[in-house]
Each structure stands twice: as C-alpha cells, then as structure tokens.
Amino acid sequence: MDMSNMEGYFLSLEYWFVAAGLPATQDLRRFHFVMAKVPPHVLQEFKIKWEQAPTSSKYEYARKVHTEHNSEYQQRHLQRVLSEMTLGNQKPSQLCNEMLRVAKDAISEELLMNL
C-alpha cells in the first residue's frame, strides 16, 4: 500500500474491483481486500479503529481511515521539512535533496524551491 498517494491507490483499486467482478454490493469482500494489503504495523496501529468499523459500508470506512492517516502522515513529513531541517554544513542543493527525500511527495520540488 503506497502511503504517499492514497487517493491514487483507491482509484486504482476501484478499477481492479470492476475487472475482478467485485461490485460495490460486496462491501465486506472489498473491505477484506483492502485490509489484506495493509502492512502489519499499520494494522496494529489502527487496531481499535478496525474493531470499531461499522457493520455496513466497511470499505468506505477503511478508505476514510487510510486517507485521513495518509494526510496526517504527509503533514508530519512536511512539518519536519519546513521547521526542523537546516542548511548547516550542507550545500543548498544537498539540503534541497534531503528535504525532498524526507517530504516523500508531500511537496513538489518547485514549491520547495519557491519556499
């Protein structure tokens, strides 16, 4: 599961569901398909949320939880880039590369250069 592009992941998943003949009415199967792709450390981290999943619309619930988590995840990376990273002994290009690596798609190179 690619944490850097959760919306793209779920968009792609919708096409896989259609290709596999898994209609929206099979919500529980869709939910289990998503959950099977979740890394074990994320499953453990959100164990309480998964136990609190509603009895219906489980797939949409999982989508919401993952999307919100991804947003918070990217926000933390962006915050680290903008507030914690300093030039120090590095060349500006080295700092820029390090910031882009840490940001993990939370910010474009163009936007980072403008900042």
Side-chain angles (χ1 to χ4, degrees):
M1 181 173 280
D2 180 8
M3 293 301 289
S4 65
N5 186 1
M6 196 57 62
E7 288 297 325
Y9 169 75
F10 278 102
L11 180 61
S12 175
L13 199 53
E14 291 295 329
Y15 286 104
W16 278 108
F17 288 156
V18 171
L22 194 58
T25 56
Q26 293 188 6
D27 179 67
L28 188 58
R29 287 187 66 200
R30 286 179 170 213
F31 172 78
H32 286 288
F33 186 86
V34 170
M35 298 308 290
K37 299 287 287 177
V38 176
H41 72 278
V42 176
L43 282 175
Q44 190 63 36
E45 183 179 343
F46 291 105
K47 184 178 180 190
I48 293 172
K49 286 193 180 209
W50 303 138
E51 291 170 350
Q52 295 172 346
T55 55
S56 63
S57 300
K58 283 181 170 282
Y59 169 73
E60 284 304 319
Y61 177 79
R63 182 179 184 150
K64 178 183 172 214
V65 169
H66 284 297
T67 303
E68 287 174 357
H69 174 70
N70 181 56
S71 178
E72 292 169 8
Y73 175 80
Q74 286 186 333
Q75 195 67 20
R76 285 190 304 268
H77 281 282
L78 187 56
Q79 185 65 32
R80 180 172 175 222
V81 166
L82 296 177
S83 66
E84 297 176 17
M85 299 185 80
T86 60
L87 184 59
N89 302 5
Q90 302 179 80
K91 294 178 184 176
S93 61
Q94 291 173 315
L95 176 61
C96 181
N97 288 336
E98 181 66 11
M99 289 174 133
L100 288 171
R101 186 189 66 76
V102 170
K104 297 183 179 183
D105 298 327
I107 188 171
S108 70
E109 183 174 357
E110 182 181 338
L111 180 57
L112 183 60
M113 293 301 222
N114 287 336
L115 290 173

